[in-house]
Amino acid sequence: MISIMVDKPTIKKDRLRGLGLISGGLDSLTACLLIKQQGIEVIGLNFKSPFCQYESRFDIFHEKLEIKIYCLSLGDDFLDIIRNPKFGYGRNLNPCVDCRIYILKKAKEFMKKIKADFIFTGEVLNQRPKSQHMKALKIVEKESGLEGKLLRPLSALHLKPTFYEEEGLIDRSKLMGIKGRSRKVQLDLAKEHGLLEEYFACGGCLLTDINFSNRMRDSLKFNNALKIGDMNILKYGRHFRFKNSKIIVGRNEIENNLLLQLKKPNDLIMEVQDVPGPITIIQDELNEEILKYAASLTLRYSDLEESKGKVVYGKDYQNLSKEIFSEIENDEILKKYILSFYILNIMELS
Ligand code: SF4
């Protein structure tokens, strides 16, 4: 009789190592706690993203749970997911199910590198309408190639046992059955173990924001060669799409400095000569008409008291050697080019 060998990983319980996906918030913190309480070594993995405005509390993970956290960055391939998500978008441009799959696939590769035995997350059943209902959790698990092997310690008791629970490597009776949006159980647990005194909001993802999504859609439409790093500049300044050109005007000194740091080598820099005002960045196409419009915007947001003035421009901020005289267009004309894409900025003009 021929016996068939089943390919099962051989894992020793006393040397089990879990890789936890860590946003830095309360859910991932308590998920790590539950795994650590079983005497299992935990390594953390955080994904850096230009879209995340997380206020992470990595200090608690380091200091109180003694967890080492590695950071990976989203790759340019994440933009393909935003362009064309297999499982669709949430309310705005957030492709949550595809995003989870993407991250877990990367975590799976990373798990091999650090010789971890399993992956766990701080996901909670029904906490998020788009990506954490039962069907979505199953899709994410299957599509990431982690079927039966993705542990969600906070909601485990509502889910089918994983391979690790079935094999007795992880004690299911010490996992939890949390579901829904309330964070009360997690907070109580964190308080009980001296990890936190009070809840802190972990921030959010810009892809769920309508105004940022509008900026993002515009960039995707006009630029096929986007890089993930190009997304950072979308967070700062007033954005205008004039013909095929993108014009970004700083709102204050901090944004002016950021725009100078984030601009690409071929972008043009413009400012009003001898008058305090914005840094303006001009991207993509360039011609006389675009320069004139950008100059008008730059003058409009400066401290200039007259209706016309001189701006200087160039690619090197230390050497803005070209100049152009322009008049400030009336706000009706300026609004026209914002209205097409950026609702937020209409308020700023008035
Ligand atoms: S909210 Fe943003 S970071 Fe979170 S799953 Fe959705 S797309 Fe990904």
Side-chain angles (χ1 to χ4, degrees), residues 87-194:
F87 297 98
Y89 298 105
R91 287 177 89 175
N92 289 295
L93 213 57
N94 46 311
C96 292
V97 173
D98 294 82
C99 171
R100 302 297 304 168
I101 295 166
Y102 174 93
I103 281 172
L104 283 163
K105 281 184 176 170
K106 301 274 176 197
K108 205 173 144 199
E109 287 167 23
F110 189 73
M111 176 173 75
K112 288 180 197 149
K113 281 191 194 149
I114 61 157
K115 298 191 168 46
D117 302 297
F118 68 98
I119 297 176
F120 68 94
T121 72
E123 287 166 298
V124 171
L125 179 64
N126 294 343
Q127 189 182 73
R128 294 177 190 215
K130 179 74 185 167
S131 61
Q132 289 180 217
H133 55 82
M134 186 64 87
K135 192 174 164 203
L137 292 186
K138 284 183 182 165
I139 290 173
V140 166
E141 197 177 307
K142 188 170 177 207
E143 295 275 329
S144 60
L146 288 166
E147 205 166 9
K149 292 188 178 166
L150 178 58
L151 188 72
R152 281 124 168 173
L154 299 179
S155 288
L157 302 187
H158 293 297
L159 310 170
K160 219 173 138 207
T162 58
F163 164 82
Y164 312 98
E165 292 155 88
E166 281 175 342
E167 292 292 309
L169 295 163
I170 289 169
D171 186 347
R172 184 171 171 86
S173 72
K174 292 182 180 156
L175 303 178
M176 301 192 87
I178 306 172
K179 68 174 171 181
R181 298 178 76 88
S182 166
R183 298 266 189 356
K184 186 177 180 320
V185 180
Q186 295 94 309
L187 183 58
D188 287 347
L189 190 65
K191 277 184 183 170
E192 191 189 316
H193 289 83

Side-chain angles (χ1 to χ4, degrees), residues 174-234:
K174 292 182 180 156
L175 303 178
M176 301 192 87
I178 306 172
K179 68 174 171 181
R181 298 178 76 88
S182 166
R183 298 266 189 356
K184 186 177 180 320
V185 180
Q186 295 94 309
L187 183 58
D188 287 347
L189 190 65
K191 277 184 183 170
E192 191 189 316
H193 289 83
L195 301 180
L196 275 181
E197 287 307 316
E198 55 190 31
Y199 178 67
F200 65 95
C202 193
C205 169
L206 286 170
L207 294 172
T208 64
D209 178 272
I210 186 167
N211 294 304
F212 186 85
S213 293
N214 285 339
R215 293 182 176 199
M216 188 71 206
R217 273 191 199 96
D218 168 69
S219 285
L220 293 170
K221 180 176 167 189
F222 282 89
N223 196 336
N224 285 327
L226 280 180
K227 303 278 180 207
I228 195 86
D230 299 340
M231 302 298 99
N232 282 313
I233 206 164
L234 297 184

